Amino acid sequence: MILTIAAKELRALFVSPLAWVVLAFFQLILAWILLARLDAFLAIQSQLVALANSPGATELVISPVFGVASIVLVMAVPLLSMRLVAEERRNQTMTFLLSAPLSVSEIVLGKFFGLAAFLLLPVLLIGAMGATLAVGGRLDWGLVVSNVIGLALVAAGLAAIGLYASCLTAHPVVAAVTALAISLALWMINLATSDPASPVQVVSLLKHYEPFTKGMVSTANLAYFALLTGLFLALAARRLDADRLRG
Amino acid sequence: MAAAVALRMMSDAVPLTLDARSLSRSFAGRPVVRDVELKLKRGEVLGFLGPNGAGKTTTMQMLTGNLSPGAGSIAICGVDLLEHPVEAKRHVGYLPETPPLYRELRVDEYLELAARLRRVPKKDVARAATKARDRCGLTGAGSQLIGTLSKGYQQRVGIAQAIVHEPELIVLDEPTVGLDPNQIREIRSLIRELAEGRGVILSTHILPEVESVCDRVQIMNEGSVVYSGTVTALRALRGGRALLVGLREPPPVIELQALPGVATVAALGEHLFRIEPQGDAEVGEAIVHLAVERGWRLYQIAPAQASLEEIFAHLTQREDAPAEASA
């Protein structure tokens, strides 16, 4: 059932011009960043050779590209997630799902996996773009994989936030703005303090994403993203369930 | 799951397709549905009648699990909708007021999606979709995008999605709104056909629609059921046998009153009378005959059927304000 709904959502994304436009711009921006970083890397390459234990192309080109990709995702995911529930409400098609023999969690998970599957596409494309550098030199494949995992987890978390925001309203634009606000707040909340021990650091998305771009995949960070995603999916399910009780 | 299966087996013994008791619902403290009882047997079509805002749609949303009732219980084929919603919803097909259509899908894709979501076994999905499509007269439209279909065809797709999983209970909220007369006739005969072996509830505010397709009628007003009975009984209530008689040169009312078989005569104007026969007495012929013989100059004689509004007025006055009924 979850897969059936996911397939329906994936299809809905692919028939909308919005998803294609977002995907195209995402790719364009990151290709441009990759080339710019590559230029900079080539300019200093001769000096790097002189250093002992010098950073390689993976560290100096690919990781920064993933860093930018994560910020672009913060902007792009709300645009892709805004229609998930809000538009169904507006078109009054929600009854199609609500009167079918489905539980609310099946509906939420189906919609989430549909969007997550779509987001996996740009994440893998960025990975593939980085991997093309292997043509001209040696890459640290472990670091590339850790970058891909990190970005995929960020995408999953953002998708869950977007889905929840979409459950709050019947207006896709309001859903997009809400999702962007929540995502950005979680992203930069660590700026509020310079104290590394502050509890604010614990909820910051950025703080938990950064280690992945340095090649560190730790259980704590994996758990953070699992919790973040799970929390917003649970909130979304609660919100949808409350629709039956409204008034 | 075991409990659900046991419940389903019980439903073979209990033939009631729908059993809803004392349903109530309020929105923001304002009661919209009050103490509604609904019972539906297999093969029965129940007409749900009422003016706009009477609570028909709210009741239907509760019956299909789209809205939880404030109080009361709903059992579909013996399965409690509130305790086992997923199991109970398998037996329900629902067409809301606005058909829930995905405009970007083709008709076949949409119906197959509907079949899959309603848990039709994988191998039967394509067959179920084709069957529902053909039954609703969409045979040639399978590969069309739903968004490009006309309103009438979209309504048919809406009905097709409600029946694709062959549910025991079909709930149709104003299925003929916005259709042309031919389409209305087709949809009505389809509804009769669908009722074979299942229960159908349809809401409408068109009285002739109820008379032509329903076995039983329930009339709602301001959230309560004000009338519940068979269509025949409704027809009698509607004034069925009274005659509206127009005479250019009418005799005194007493003279009309004295005619054999006439129960009451009400003067509706200087020239127009409403004549109620006694029981099964036929008075039409006698009136025409006498009118010619005595030169009353008959210009109109017709069955005096009350409009739906009059019936509502009649029913609601009887329920709420008996003192004002005579005023």
Side-chain angles (χ1 to χ4, degrees):
Chain A
M1 278 311 117
I2 295 176
L3 282 183
T4 308
I5 304 175
K8 160 192 166 291
E9 292 305 329
L10 196 56
R11 205 203 127 89
L13 278 168
F14 274 118
V15 296
S16 84
L18 179 72
W20 287 103
V21 170
V22 169
L23 214 54
F25 275 100
F26 189 80
Q27 212 60 23
L28 188 72
I29 293 167
L30 291 165
W32 183 65
I33 301 275
L34 181 82
L35 290 176
R37 294 297 305 193
L38 197 57
D39 263 351
F41 175 72
L42 291 176
I44 58 165
Q45 200 180 19
S46 51
Q47 290 147 321
L48 285 173
V49 177
L51 289 172
N53 203 5
S54 66
T58 321
E59 221 166 311
L60 289 178
V61 179
I62 297 180
S63 284
V65 169
F66 272 87
V68 176
S70 63
I71 295 171
V72 179
L73 274 187
V74 169
M75 311 288 170
V77 173
L79 291 176
L80 298 171
S81 67
M82 64 182 184
R83 298 169 60 189
L84 285 174
V85 176
E87 182 140 295
E88 293 225 33
R89 280 219 186 99
R90 202 170 55 163
N91 295 342
Q92 309 197 8
T93 52
M94 224 33 216
T95 28
F96 184 72
L97 296 176
L98 292 179
S99 46
L102 302 167
S103 65
V104 174
S105 40
E106 279 176 318
I107 296 175
V108 166
L109 285 177
K111 285 184 173 285
F112 169 73
F113 283 121
L115 178 59
F118 180 85
L119 290 174
L120 207 54
L121 193 68
V123 171
L124 291 177
L125 278 174
I126 302 296
M129 213 158 68
T132 56
L133 293 187
V135 174
R138 276 192 309 122
L139 289 183
D140 178 349
W141 289 108
L143 184 54
V144 174
V145 170
S146 132
N147 265 312
V148 170
I149 293 174
L151 194 63
L153 289 175
V154 169
L158 293 173
I161 293 171
L163 176 56
Y164 170 61
S166 190
C167 288
L168 293 175
T169 166
H171 302 278
V173 174
V174 178
V177 173
T178 313
L180 184 64
I182 301 175
S183 309
L184 263 185
L186 277 176
W187 191 259
M188 346 181 277
I189 196 166
N190 63 314
L191 296 180
T193 169
S194 53
D195 174 11
S198 158
V200 167
Q201 305 278 8
V202 177
V203 290
S204 164
L205 251 170
L206 183 60
K207 279 283 160 216
H208 293 275
Y209 172 59
E210 265 174 354
F212 287 99
T213 64
K214 294 185 179 120
M216 200 171 80
V217 181
S218 76
T219 328
N221 294 328
L222 290 176
Y224 168 81
F225 282 106
L227 278 173
L228 177 80
T229 310
L231 171 72
F232 278 99
L233 290 182
L235 286 174
R238 260 190 73 102
R239 188 64 198 77
L240 267 193
D241 204 34
D243 266 5
R244 289 187 308 119
L245 306 164
R246 69 179 184 267
Chain B
M1 201 59 204
V5 170
L7 277 167
R8 201 158 21 137
M9 283 170 66
M10 261 171 63
S11 72
D12 291 339
V14 183
L16 230 42
T17 302
L18 171 72
D19 187 2
R21 289 163 198 242
S22 48
L23 282 183
S24 296
R25 186 68 160 91
S26 46
F27 286 119
R30 194 174 58 87
V32 176
V33 171
R34 270 175 289 190
D35 217 20
V36 168
E37 304 272 328
L38 271 170
K39 286 189 176 37
L40 192 67
K41 287 197 282 283
R42 260 172 161 242
E44 208 175 25
V45 182
L46 172 69
F48 217 34
L49 215 61
N52 292 326
K56 290 175 297 187
T57 297
T58 306
T59 308
M60 291 186 143
Q61 284 177 338
M62 289 195 281
L63 296 179
T64 54
N66 279 276
L67 200 63
S68 54
S73 71
I74 302 166
I76 293 160
C77 299
V79 184
D80 192 308
L81 179 67
L82 303 173
E83 306 239 332
H84 307 281
V86 173
E87 179 60 23
K89 282 179 192 174
R90 296 174 80 125
H91 305 297
V92 186
Y94 177 39
L95 170 70
E97 237 171 328
T98 320
L101 304 176
Y102 295 115
R103 302 173 55 85
E104 73 274 9
L105 294 184
R106 295 173 199 284
V107 173
D108 279 344
E109 290 167 345
Y110 175 71
L111 292 178
E112 282 173 21
L113 174 67
R116 272 197 295 272
L117 289 178
R118 277 71 173 277
R119 298 180 197 265
V120 172
K122 216 173 198 158
K123 59 176 174 27
D124 300 331
V125 164
R127 196 156 11 114
T130 313
K131 192 175 166 197
R133 186 192 72 195
D134 293 349
R135 287 189 90 170
C136 297
L138 291 159
T139 310
S143 57
Q144 282 208 48
L145 287 175
I146 292 175
T148 66
L149 294 176
S150 69
K151 171 102 171 90
Y153 271 80
Q154 290 190 353
Q155 191 73 19
R156 290 184 201 200
V157 179
I159 296 177
Q161 63 84 25
I163 63 171
V164 70
H165 53 308
E166 315 227 325
E168 292 284 323
L169 172 67
I170 303 173
V171 180
L172 306 170
D173 199 348
E174 310 207 341
T176 56
V177 155
L179 302 186
D180 69 40
N182 282 333
Q183 292 170 329
I184 290 179
R185 240 197 5 243
E186 281 170 31
I187 298 275
R188 282 180 188 166
S189 65
L190 174 66
I191 291 172
R192 272 279 29 139
E193 204 183 302
L194 290 174
E196 303 284 327
R198 342 164 189 273
V200 179
I201 298 183
L202 85 140
S203 84
T204 178
H205 46 249
I206 310 164
L207 194 54
E209 185 154 298
V210 170
E211 291 192 314
S212 64
V213 293
C214 299
D215 305 304
R216 222 148 48 73
V217 189
Q218 212 149 335
I219 299 181
M220 282 188 81
N221 189 44
E222 290 177 2
S224 315
V225 174
V226 290
Y227 175 80
S228 177
T230 62
V231 167
T232 335
L234 179 72
R235 211 169 276 146
L237 189 69
R238 206 181 157 191
R241 302 181 33 80
L243 292 175
L244 211 56
V245 180
L247 304 167
R248 290 262 181 257
E249 283 169 21
V253 174
I254 320 261
E255 201 175 326
L256 289 171
Q257 188 86 62
L259 294 176
V262 169
T264 55
V265 177
L268 302 174
E270 209 179 323
H271 301 288
L272 202 59
F273 302 89
R274 185 189 153 95
I275 299 179
E276 192 97 39
Q278 278 169 346
D280 289 339
E282 287 293 344
V283 294
E285 202 184 333
I287 291 171
V288 174
H289 187 74
L290 283 173
V292 175
E293 206 175 83
R294 300 184 189 174
W296 293 341
R297 293 179 64 199
L298 177 74
Y299 68 92
Q300 175 188 347
I301 179 161
Q305 293 200 324
S307 68
L308 186 56
E309 290 73 22
E310 281 166 341
I311 290 182
F312 282 137
H314 177 66
L315 289 168
T316 49
Q317 277 174 1
R318 195 179 63 189
E319 291 284 317
D320 299 338
E324 286 168 34
S326 55

